[in-house]
Amino acid sequence: MTTPETEFVSILDAAEKSDAAPRISSRSLPDTLPILGLSDIVIFPGSVLPLLVETGPSLRLIDDAVAGDRLLGAVLQRRAEVVDPRPEDLYAVGCVVRLAKMVKLPDGPARVLVEGLWRIRIRDYLTPAPYLRAHYELLRDETEDSIELQAMLRSAHRQFEEIARMSTALPDQVKITALNTEHPGHFADLIAANLNLSLELRQELLETVSVRERLQKLLPLLNREQEVLTLSSKIQSDVASSIAKSQRDFFLREQIRAIQRELGEGEQGSPETKSLRERIEQAPLPEEARKTALQELERLQQTPPAAAEYAVSRNYLDWILNLPWARETDDKLDLKAAARILNEQHFGLEKIKERLLEFLAVIKRRKQIKGPILCLVGPPGVGKTSLGKSVADSLGRKFARISLGGMRDEAEIRGHRRTYVGSLPGRILQTLRRVESRNPVILLDELDKVGADFRGDPAAALLEVLDPEQNNTFTDHYLDLPFDLSRVLFITTANWLEPIHPALRDRLEVIELPSYTDSEKLQIARRYLVPRQIEEHGLTRQDVRFTDGALRELVREYTREAGVRQLEREIAALARKTTRKIAGNGAAKTPVVITRGLLRDFLGAPKFVSETAGKITEFGIATGLAWTPVGGDILFIEATRMRGRGHLILTGSLGDVMKESAQAAVSYLRSQAKKLDLDFDDYGKYDLHIHVPAGATPKDGPSAGVAIVAALASLLSKRRVRSEAAMTGEISLRGRVLRVGGVKEKVLAAQRFGLKEVILPEQNKSDWLEVPAEARAKLKAHFVRQIAEVLPLALEPK
C-alpha cells in the first residue's frame, strides 16, 4: 500500500535537479507490469507526484523496478484500509508510471517520485508472486477536431485561470503548465490531478477515455470550485476587516490608557469606574456577587461610554450595589406592644389577632423566620391588607405591598434577562431595593387574582419565593445571582382559595377573616371611620357629630357588604355634605348633628330594604342562606305547579349543581309522599316550576337543597314556610342533610336580615361556635340530620 508524500515541494525540486531519463515510447513498454496499489491518490498521465512506500511487498516491487526499466502500473484501491491488496481490491483502470527518483529512509519506508505516462486497463493478473503483475492494454485519448471541443477547452482555460488566481494551494509549476497546455486531453488530466475532488470522481475521470466527455464532466466541477473560492475569499476578507477593526480598537484603547496614565488616572480608569470599584470593595457583598461585580466592572472599563452596552453594564452594577445584601432592621419582639398595636388598629377579629401573636411569639423564640407563609382569606373590606401593615408595625420592620391582581407575566416576579432592551429585576428585588432592607414585611395582595398566558405563570414563580426551604437562594433572571429571601416576612391575601394554584396553596397557612356583624361595623365606624373622615375633610369634633342611631341605620339601610368600605364612602359623603353646609352658613357655632332623619336629607332614600320585612303568605316559598365572596346573603326559593306532563322547570340562572339538588329534592319527596302526606297522585298531569329570584345573578352549589325541599313540601302540603326561619344544607336521596360551608357568613346574613331561627346540618354544629356571640344570642339554631326533621321545623302547623 502506498500513500502520497506530504513534502511535495522539496521532492519535486529534487527531481527537477536530477538527471531523470526522458519520456519513453509506448512501443517499448513490456507486455506485463508490476502493479502498485494506491490507498488514497489517483495518478493521471503527465502528472509528477511523490509517494511514500511502506509495506514489504510494495518496497520489493520498487526495488525491482529501480533495478529494471523503472516502469510499473499504479492502480487505486477500492478500500484504503487494505494493507496488501489483491486483484479484487483494485480498480480496473490505472496509469503506467515511471520512477523518477527514490530515497530510502533509515526506518524502512521509501520516498519515490513518479511520473504518469499512459492510461491502462488491466486485462488479467498473473499468479501472485512477491507482488502483483498483470497484462494490460493502453487506453489512448479519443479526441476530435471540432469547434465545440475548442470552445469547451477555452472555457475550461478561463475558469482554471480564475481558480489559479484565487487559490494559494496550487503550485506555481502547475499554473505555468496550465497556461502553456493546448492539448485538450493533457489539459483535462492536469485539471483533474490538481482540482480538489474526491477519489471516486478522480477515478471516474481517469476511466473516461473520451476527451470531450472528460471536459463535460470537469466544467461543472470547475464552476463549483470557482464559487467556493469566491465565497472563501469573501469570508476571509470579512474576517480580515473584523480583525483589523479589533486591532485598531485595541491600539486606541492602549493609547487611551497611556493618556490616562500621563494624566495620573492610572489603570483604574475614569473617576466613575474608580468610584464603582471603591463601592464594590466596601459593600458587604457575598463572594459570588463581588466576583460578578468586579468582572462586570472590567467589562465596563473596556466599553466606550457611547456604546449601548455601557449603560447596560452600568445599570447592572447599580442594582448589585444598591440591593440590601446585609442591611436589615432590628426586630421589636414585644408581644404586649404588638397586641396593643393590633387592638388599636383593628376592632374585633380576636382569633385572627391571637394567631398573629402566636406567629410573632415563634419568631421571638427562634430569632428567625422559618415557617409557613400566612394567607389572610376573607371578603373585601374586612382588613386583610391593614393587618399586614399592623404586623410590620408590631415588629418594627419596613412594610411593602405588591399587588398581584391581573399579573400575567412570570418576569414580573423573576425579572427579565439582560439580553432584552430595558430589562429590569422582578418586583421582589425592586421592592427590597426601595425599602433598603433585607427583612421587611412584604404583603402579596390579591393572590387569587394572578393569571397566566403565553408569557408564563407568575404563580409558578411564586412557588420558590414562598417556600422557606428554597427562597434562601432565590435567583432573579436579571441579577442572575442568588439572593436570600429567608429573612423576608411574606404575608398573602385573597378573597377565596379556589383560584389559587394547588401547589402554591400547599405552602400557605390559611387564616380566614369573617364578615363583620352590624355591631362590629358600628364600633369600627365610631372608632376609626368617622374620625378619619372628619380629619380628611378639614372638620373637627366641634363641627360635626354622628349619633349611634344614624350610624346603625347607615349600616343596615345604606350598605350591604361583608366589610366596611362602602360604609366609609357613605360616611365620607356625609362629611362632604356637612363641610358644604358649614361653609354655606359662615362661621356657625352650632355643630351639625347627623341623625337618622338627616340621613335621608343628605343621602336620599335607603338603598336597601329588608326583604324579610313582609310575612310569607303563600305556599311554595322558602328562605335559604347563601355564601358569596363579599359575605353571606339570603335567597328565596319559589315553587309552583301548573297543568302539564310531569316536567321539572328550573329558572333563575342556576348552575348544574343547584339543578341536581332540585332534582334530588323532587325525587326524595316523590319517594316519601305517603309518609310525608304530600299530594303526588297526579304528578304526571302537572309540571313543577322552581325559580330563584335575582335571575341575572348566577347561583350554584348544593347548600340550597334543604330550602328547595321546604318550598316543594309547602306547595304540595298547602302549609306555609315559617317567615322567621331560614335554612341551609345539602340533601341526599336517602333523606340525609349533609354538611355545607360558609356557615358563619350565612348565619351573620340571617341575623342582618332580621331572621329569628336558622336550620343547619348536624355536621355543622362545630361551625356554630365560630359565629360571633352577638349573632348567636339573636338567633335560635336547629341542627338536623334528616329531611324528615326539617319539615316540622320549617312548615307552619296545619
Side-chain angles (χ1 to χ4, degrees):
M1 182 176 68
T2 306
T3 59
E5 174 59 55
T6 56
E7 299 178 3
F8 177 80
V9 178
S10 61
I11 297 183
L12 184 59
D13 292 342
E16 288 177 349
K17 296 176 183 178
S18 67
D19 52 351
R23 180 166 178 147
I24 63 176
S25 171
S26 61
R27 295 178 182 178
S28 60
L29 292 175
D31 294 335
T32 63
L33 285 172
I35 303 301
L36 178 65
L38 305 176
S39 60
D40 53 1
I41 189 172
V42 177
I43 300 177
F44 286 86
S47 61
V48 178
L49 293 173
L51 301 176
L52 180 64
V53 182
E54 298 177 295
T55 61
S58 298
L59 289 171
R60 175 73 178 274
L61 184 153
I62 294 298
D63 291 338
D64 292 350
V66 170
D69 54 10
R70 293 185 172 236
L71 297 176
L72 56 93
V75 181
L76 178 65
Q77 299 176 189
R78 297 183 184 274
R79 292 181 299 161
E81 66 273 10
V82 178
V83 177
D84 188 12
R86 310 312 302 160
E88 61 272 11
D89 298 324
L90 302 174
Y91 283 95
V93 176
C95 183
V96 177
V97 299
R98 180 178 60 185
L99 290 175
K101 186 77 173 179
M102 182 184 73
V103 177
K104 281 290 187 87
L105 300 178
D107 53 352
R111 293 178 179 177
V112 298
L113 189 70
V114 297
E115 176 190 5
L117 300 178
W118 294 281
R119 283 176 172 80
I120 60 172
R121 176 179 284 111
I122 305 298
R123 290 207 305 263
D124 57 73
Y125 286 90
L126 302 179
T127 302
Y131 45 80
L132 294 176
R133 295 187 69 89
H135 292 101
Y136 62 93
E137 60 176 334
L138 288 177
L139 300 177
R140 300 185 182 276
D141 286 346
E142 297 177 1
T143 185
E144 60 187 54
D145 188 10
S146 65
I147 297 176
E148 183 179 1
L149 184 62
Q150 289 299 318
M152 293 171 65
L153 178 62
R154 291 182 183 180
S155 177
H157 258 294
R158 285 194 300 272
Q159 287 186 333
F160 192 76
E161 287 175 10
E162 186 65 22
I163 291 173
R165 183 183 64 81
M166 291 187 292
S167 176
T168 58
L170 288 175
D172 292 337
Q173 294 88 343
V174 174
K175 298 177 183 179
I176 295 171
T177 304
L179 292 175
N180 296 314
T181 301
E182 297 295 335
H183 190 279
H186 295 167
F187 184 72
D189 289 341
L190 179 65
I191 294 175
N194 291 278
L195 209 58
N196 186 17
L197 303 175
S198 65
L199 289 176
E200 290 75 12
L201 280 175
R202 290 178 187 268
Q203 181 65 27
E204 182 180 350
L205 292 171
L206 182 66
E207 294 176 359
T208 304
V209 179
S210 172
V211 176
R212 179 176 176 178
E213 292 181 8
R214 208 181 305 159
L215 286 173
Q216 284 178 338
K217 293 179 180 180
L218 279 171
L219 284 174
L221 299 174
L222 285 169
N223 186 52
R224 187 194 66 178
E225 184 69 16
Q226 184 178 354
E227 291 179 355
V228 170
L229 288 173
T230 302
L231 183 59
S232 299
S233 177
K234 181 178 181 304
I235 293 173
Q236 290 177 356
S237 176
D238 293 343
V239 171
S241 299
S242 176
I243 293 175
K245 183 179 182 303
S246 300
Q247 291 174 343
R248 176 177 173 274
D249 293 345
F250 174 77
F251 290 137
L252 288 176
R253 290 194 188 98
E254 290 298 319
Q255 291 176 358
I256 290 173
R257 290 195 182 96
I259 294 171
Q260 289 172 345
R261 284 194 294 270
E262 290 297 325
L263 293 175
E265 296 178 358
E267 293 294 332
Q268 299 300 320
S270 65
E272 182 180 24
T273 55
K274 288 177 64 178
S275 174
L276 287 172
R277 186 177 296 276
E278 292 175 359
R279 290 177 61 190
I280 292 173
E281 292 173 352
Q282 296 173 3
L285 301 177
E287 188 60 32
E288 184 176 355
R290 187 183 305 278
K291 180 180 178 182
T292 302
L294 290 174
Q295 290 175 349
E296 194 67 25
L297 182 61
E298 293 296 328
R299 188 179 298 111
L300 184 70
Q301 289 179 339
Q302 303 298 325
T303 305
E309 293 80 3
Y310 187 89
V312 174
S313 295
R314 182 70 174 81
N315 193 38
Y316 180 68
L317 286 172
D318 278 342
W319 273 102
I320 293 179
L321 292 172
N322 290 325
L323 282 174
W325 298 94
R327 292 193 301 272
E328 62 181 28
T329 56
D330 295 330
D331 289 340
K332 297 185 301 183
L333 298 174
D334 187 344
L335 295 183
K336 291 183 179 180
R340 186 182 67 254
I341 292 174
L342 289 174
N343 289 325
E344 288 175 354
Q345 298 181 356
H346 295 85
F347 179 81
L349 305 176
E350 298 302 330
K351 292 192 175 182
I352 311 303
K353 295 176 184 176
E354 186 68 23
R355 178 62 187 90
L356 291 176
L357 290 173
E358 293 170 0
F359 184 74
L360 298 179
V362 173
I363 296 177
K364 179 177 180 179
R365 294 289 295 178
R366 296 192 60 185
K367 305 297 184 183
Q368 63 177 342
I369 302 172
K370 191 86 170 183
I373 306 297
L374 299 182
C375 179
L376 307 178
V377 178
V382 296
K384 299 184 295 296
T385 303
S386 59
L387 274 172
K389 180 69 169 62
S390 299
V391 171
D393 293 341
S394 302
L395 287 171
R397 294 190 178 190
K398 295 184 177 181
F399 176 77
R401 173 181 167 271
I402 299 177
S403 177
L404 303 179
M407 187 180 290
R408 294 180 176 273
D409 190 354
E410 180 193 3
E412 292 280 350
I413 303 296
R414 288 190 176 276
H416 295 85
R417 299 190 184 278
R418 284 198 292 154
T419 53
Y420 296 104
V421 177
S423 58
L424 285 173
R427 299 277 291 276
I428 302 295
L429 291 190
Q430 289 184 38
T431 300
L432 293 176
R433 177 179 177 177
R434 186 174 67 251
V435 301
E436 298 181 344
S437 172
R438 67 171 179 171
N439 66 335
V441 175
I442 295 182
L443 183 78
L444 301 177
D445 210 6
E446 309 293 351
L447 183 62
D448 53 330
K449 310 299 190 303
V450 173
D453 61 11
F454 64 94
R455 294 170 293 183
D457 186 358
L462 287 172
L463 292 177
E464 180 183 4
V465 174
L466 299 181
D467 192 338
E469 301 297 330
Q470 301 180 35
N471 61 9
N472 60 335
T473 56
F474 172 73
T475 302
D476 186 274
H477 286 161
Y478 178 85
L479 202 64
D480 202 24
L481 290 169
F483 193 93
D484 186 3
L485 297 180
S486 62
R487 297 178 180 271
V488 178
L489 175 56
F490 289 103
I491 299 177
T492 65
T493 70
N495 292 128
W496 58 90
L497 289 174
E498 282 72 17
I500 301 177
H501 193 285
L504 186 57
R505 196 187 315 162
D506 184 60
R507 288 165 166 77
L508 306 175
E509 179 178 340
V510 177
I511 300 177
E512 295 187 359
L513 277 71
S515 305
Y516 289 123
T517 63
D518 288 352
S519 62
E520 288 174 334
K521 291 180 181 179
L522 178 62
Q523 294 298 325
I524 291 171
R526 183 189 299 156
R527 298 184 185 189
Y528 306 103
L529 304 184
V530 170
R532 184 162 61 207
Q533 292 304 321
I534 288 176
E535 181 182 355
E536 288 183 359
H537 288 81
L539 301 172
T540 64
R541 292 185 178 273
Q542 286 72 35
D543 296 327
V544 62
R545 185 168 61 85
F546 288 76
T547 65
D548 287 351
L551 291 176
R552 190 175 291 109
E553 185 166 338
L554 196 64
V555 169
R556 292 178 177 176
E557 299 188 3
Y558 288 87
T559 64
R560 183 158 294 173
E561 57 179 343
V564 293
R565 284 181 181 159
Q566 183 61 32
L567 177 60
E568 185 170 13
R569 283 191 286 267
E570 298 296 340
I571 293 173
L574 291 172
R576 289 195 303 271
K577 299 285 186 182
T578 302
T579 303
R580 181 180 176 184
K581 184 175 181 179
I582 293 174
N585 293 337
K589 299 296 184 181
T590 305
V592 177
V593 181
I594 306 296
T595 62
R596 296 177 62 182
L598 200 58
L599 287 181
R600 286 168 174 76
D601 295 336
F602 281 1
L603 301 179
K607 299 178 181 178
F608 299 96
V609 179
S610 176
E611 298 181 57
T612 59
K615 184 177 178 66
I616 295 178
T617 58
E618 300 178 20
F619 307 129
I621 301 176
T623 306
L625 297 174
W627 178 93
T628 69
V630 296
D633 201 355
I634 67 169
L635 52 83
F636 295 97
I637 311 294
E638 299 177 352
T640 187
R641 71 174 181 171
M642 71 289 284
R643 289 194 175 273
R645 297 183 179 180
H647 295 159
L648 176 62
I649 303 170
L650 303 172
T651 57
S653 190
L654 308 184
D656 291 339
V657 176
M658 199 166 181
K659 289 179 180 179
E660 291 172 358
S661 295
Q663 293 168 353
V666 172
S667 298
Y668 172 76
L669 292 177
R670 287 183 64 189
S671 67
Q672 303 292 324
K674 289 184 179 181
K675 184 177 180 180
L676 299 175
D677 194 18
L678 302 178
D679 182 13
F680 266 109
D681 294 337
D682 52 356
Y683 175 76
K685 298 178 182 180
Y686 291 90
D687 289 342
L688 287 176
H689 187 167
I690 298 175
H691 177 70
V692 182
T697 303
K699 311 168 191 70
D700 204 1
S703 63
V706 168
I708 294 174
V709 166
L712 289 172
S714 170
L715 176 68
L716 297 173
S717 65
K718 305 300 183 182
R719 296 165 59 189
R720 284 186 292 269
V721 176
R722 296 169 60 208
S723 302
E724 65 274 12
M727 57 207 76
T728 184
E730 182 181 354
I731 62 171
S732 71
L733 286 178
R734 294 184 295 166
R736 296 175 59 206
V737 179
L738 306 178
R739 180 187 181 90
V740 293
V743 169
K744 182 191 300 182
E745 286 78 10
K746 293 175 182 179
V747 171
L748 290 176
Q751 184 252 333
R752 187 171 67 245
F753 280 93
L755 297 170
K756 304 299 183 183
E757 299 180 16
V758 289
I759 301 174
L760 303 173
E762 177 76 22
Q763 298 174 359
N764 286 107
K765 211 168 201 178
S766 59
D767 296 318
W768 173 254
L769 300 177
E770 300 293 329
V771 177
E774 176 193 354
R776 295 205 306 269
K778 294 181 179 180
L779 291 169
K780 182 179 181 180
H782 303 280
F783 298 98
V784 296
R785 296 182 181 178
Q786 300 289 330
I787 295 177
E789 301 174 33
V790 173
L791 299 183
L793 296 171
L795 302 180
E796 294 180 350
K798 290 185 179 181

